[in-house]
Amino acid sequence: MSMPLGLAYARVVHREDGMHAPDYDDVYCAREGGLDESRHVFLDGNDLSARLAGLAASQVFVVGETGFGAGRNMLATWALFETQAPPRARLHLFSVERHPLRAADLRRLVARWPTLTVQIERLASLWPAPVQGMHRLALAPRVTLDLYLGEAEAGLAAFEGQVDAWFLDGFAPARNPAMWSPALCQALAARSRPGTTMATYSAARGLRDALTAAGFVWTRRPGFARKRHMLTGRFEGQATGRAGDARPWYSQPSAVPPHGRIAVIGAGIAGTTVADALARRGREVTIYDAAGPGGGASGNRDAALSPRLAVEPTVRTRFDLAALAYATRWLADHDPERTLWQDCGLLQLARSRDEVDRQARMLAGLGLPRSVVHGVDAATAAKLAGTRLASDVRGGLYFPGGASVRPAALCAWLVQRSGVTWRDHHVTALSRHEAGWAVVDDAGGWAVFDHVVLANAGAAAMLCPDLPPLGRVRGQASHFALAGAGNDASPACVVCDRGYVLPARGGRQSVGATYEPRAADLVVHDAEHEANRGLIGALLPDLAAAIAVADVRGRASWRCTSHDRLPLVGGVPDRARWCSDYAALGHDATQPVTTAGALWPGLSVSLAHGSHGMLRAPLAAEMLASALTGAPQPVAGDLVEALHPGRWLIRQIIRGRVAPDQDMA
Ligand SMILES: Cc1cc2nc3c(=O)[nH]c(=O)nc-3n(C[C@H](O)[C@H](O)[C@H](O)COP(=O)(O)OP(=O)(O)OC[C@H]3O[C@@H](n4cnc5c(N)ncnc54)[C@H](O)[C@@H]3O)c2cc1C
């Protein structure tokens, strides 16, 4: 039985002398001296003022912490970065917390730390639901926080990045021993590079020994206020990187040099979100697409942000939860006026006893907080939808964070606002040269780029033969005119069953989408409009009566799929090299292998978003942009691996289905 994903909030008692944690008999922040202690122990202990001031343009400085608590150290580091660092440098904060505070508790800290008011308010506005896993928060244009909610050791194991300075914080070792264990120090070492520093308020003997064993050379210094000693240190052990990992083939693409040129091929949601994420990091991006932004599946008028959760916390379930939380934060930042999206909530209806059972098992198994998803009965579902539901609806799941988006408008807006260079052409060939990739377009023009991102869905296979097989599934969405007071019958939130019905917009009711794996054309078919109308009829009887059947528009396009229905995000394996480097695994999959996966230099992909591109592409873009700028990954390492474009190839090799110089089975 797997552990539920939902976590308990921290118990907090606010007293005159500070904010207390009764479960640990310790304080989050004392009335006096809290920030001074942070500065003395952690910021000065890691010499951050000078190191941040000395950053090169576009350099990413990574700070890791073992106990977020009320965020005091991280917020103080952010404030220091804003005053010290050169204009284009970036700060990446990573911290772990088992019992997160509530946003309301965070906001109360403004009174204690008024100099951090801006930082506290921003953090509280982005504060994630208490769900186990990594949460990426874009604190400021150049400052990112990855907050892992869960056990510290699990968080460190999940973290895909290398840290420049560690803060070993958390409640006192005597009250919270797991936070200071030898295993934890080994985990810090595994995410350190030569020269990584550390600082901690504790100078306990056990900690000193554990640090030494992990490869840190420490020094005792005067502690803060009444504390006699604290420790600072430097990692001088062996940085293991991927060579020490059980699956070394899942390597990440190398960072692109700060002035490197990047081409993104395809201007659907995958390409435009990648281009935007890179441009926001100050990178020079050119995007190619002869069909214009949203020329493929992303050209739909409306879409839903709808996660499909399994009963168990599978990688897909965890990725979709992370993607939903990230996409809504990302949309709120990009479009606070809600012109391109609507945070209207989403219902997944249950109309059979089996589905009611499945949903109940899912809620019990995942244990997610109500703010993410909760069960509703039929009457509550109808109330949320604001319209009558069919009589066979037995209830459902309600996602308060579910949303509707306008994909075509969003893609066009991203291209226009991100300041990328637009090329109104398809790419017909890629060839690798010493100077980079030569990109040839359909007008015969060509240009050389340091890095190319393939985001052109199924057409990517024509440009890169080393990709895993990609499938395509036709889908058609319909937009019916609404007669008379039809808007009143349209749902107030997204309503899903085997398809989705969205809140009406501009006098039209969008519904989708058909799913035709065997179809071979993209002609809009009346029969598929009829199927979509049937969905409305099956779920929303008053709306069915209000749509003007004869006045319907629609659009058909291809969903691009992978063999396991997860997207492909990351670098592209060099098939010939993998086949020879990992050939031994075909005879014995338990063979120890240390060779890191060889990737095509300067090539990565965001593909195969299937039926969920609107949900998944923003987080996928953040993954790629992080890798290409040398920053840590926004999701846990096992999710990075689950989406790795080499996963199909390594399985084929292990199953003995592919050998060097042999076609793939
Ligand atoms: C009917 C339908 C309804 C859907 N509804 C939803 C929904 O409600 N929610 C959701 O999350 N997802 C939905 N999806 C899925 C979603 O639309 C896709 O996952 C998403 O659009 C994929 O985005 P993409 O950028 O990967 O691909 P695409 O949007 O297909 O973009 C690929 C782009 O690459 C360009 N291109 C191709 N070849 C080249 C080349 N050689 N050079 C340059 N450019 C090239 C194309 O012109 C195209 O613009 C739906 C899909 C369909 C078909």
Side-chain angles (χ1 to χ4, degrees), residues 264-272 288-300 302-306 405 407 411 423 425-428 455-460 462-463 473-477 500 502 512-514 555-560 606-617:
V264 175
I265 300 179
I269 194 67
T272 54
Y288 286 84
D289 196 328
S298 310
N300 286 332
D302 300 294
L305 294 192
S306 173
V405 277
C411 292
R423 289 273 177 271
H425 292 289
H426 262 33
V427 170
T428 51
N456 52 336
M462 285 183 274
L463 298 175
V473 178
R474 178 198 148 96
Q476 181 173 314
Y500 52 82
L502 298 159
T514 56
R555 188 169 184 280
S557 48
W558 302 116
R559 302 172 179 93
C560 171
S606 176
L607 299 169
H609 292 283
S611 298
H612 298 276
M614 299 304 134
L615 177 75
R616 296 171 174 172

Side-chain angles (χ1 to χ4, degrees), residues 74-323:
M74 292 274 129
L75 296 176
T77 305
W78 171 12
L80 181 71
F81 174 85
E82 298 286 5
T83 59
Q84 297 298 98
R88 290 186 61 203
R90 299 180 66 85
L91 176 66
H92 195 102
L93 305 168
F94 160 68
S95 191
V96 296
E97 180 54 54
R98 183 162 53 144
H99 296 306
L101 294 175
R102 292 169 196 275
D105 288 321
L106 284 175
R107 287 204 168 88
R108 290 178 71 155
L109 296 170
V110 167
R112 296 196 187 279
W113 304 327
T115 53
L116 295 179
T117 300
V118 173
Q119 285 82 2
I120 294 168
E121 292 291 356
R122 174 69 179 159
L123 177 66
S125 74
L126 298 172
W127 197 239
V131 175
Q132 191 207 308
M134 200 77 81
H135 300 264
R136 170 150 295 191
L137 311 179
L139 295 177
R142 296 183 300 137
V143 183
T144 302
L145 169 65
D146 281 337
L147 181 61
Y148 182 89
L149 298 182
E151 297 291 342
E153 245 184 278
L156 286 163
F159 180 65
E160 282 281 304
Q162 283 186 310
V163 166
D164 295 297
W166 288 107
F167 299 171
L168 274 65
D169 202 2
F171 296 123
R175 299 183 187 115
N176 191 17
M179 197 69 119
W180 308 88
S181 65
L184 190 106
C185 292
Q186 295 291 348
L188 299 180
R191 300 290 181 249
S192 297
R193 35 185 156 221
T196 294
T197 59
M198 51 92 17
T200 175
Y201 68 84
S202 172
R205 175 70 194 269
L207 175 63
R208 295 192 320 251
D209 292 347
L211 285 169
T212 304
F216 287 91
V217 175
W218 50 263
T219 316
R220 252 196 305 235
R221 281 200 197 178
F224 179 74
R226 281 169 291 134
K227 291 211 177 86
R228 213 146 63 94
H229 290 127
M230 58 171 270
L231 296 180
T232 62
R234 205 177 160 78
F235 181 65
E236 293 190 1
Q238 278 291 332
T240 51
R242 284 223 78 93
D245 290 2
R247 292 175 294 278
W249 41 85
Y250 287 133
S251 33
Q252 285 295 304
S254 305
V256 181
H259 297 292
R261 297 183 64 206
I262 302 173
V264 175
I265 300 179
I269 194 67
T272 54
T273 48
V274 170
D276 173 69
L278 287 164
R280 275 188 293 123
R281 288 162 166 87
R283 298 311 177 108
E284 191 188 327
V285 182
T286 301
I287 187 162
Y288 286 84
D289 196 328
S298 310
N300 286 332
R301 180 182 190 266
D302 300 294
L305 294 192
S306 173
R308 183 86 188 148
L309 306 185
V311 169
E312 297 271 307
T314 58
V315 285
R316 183 182 159 154
T317 291
R318 287 167 46 227
F319 185 73
D320 273 8
L321 282 170

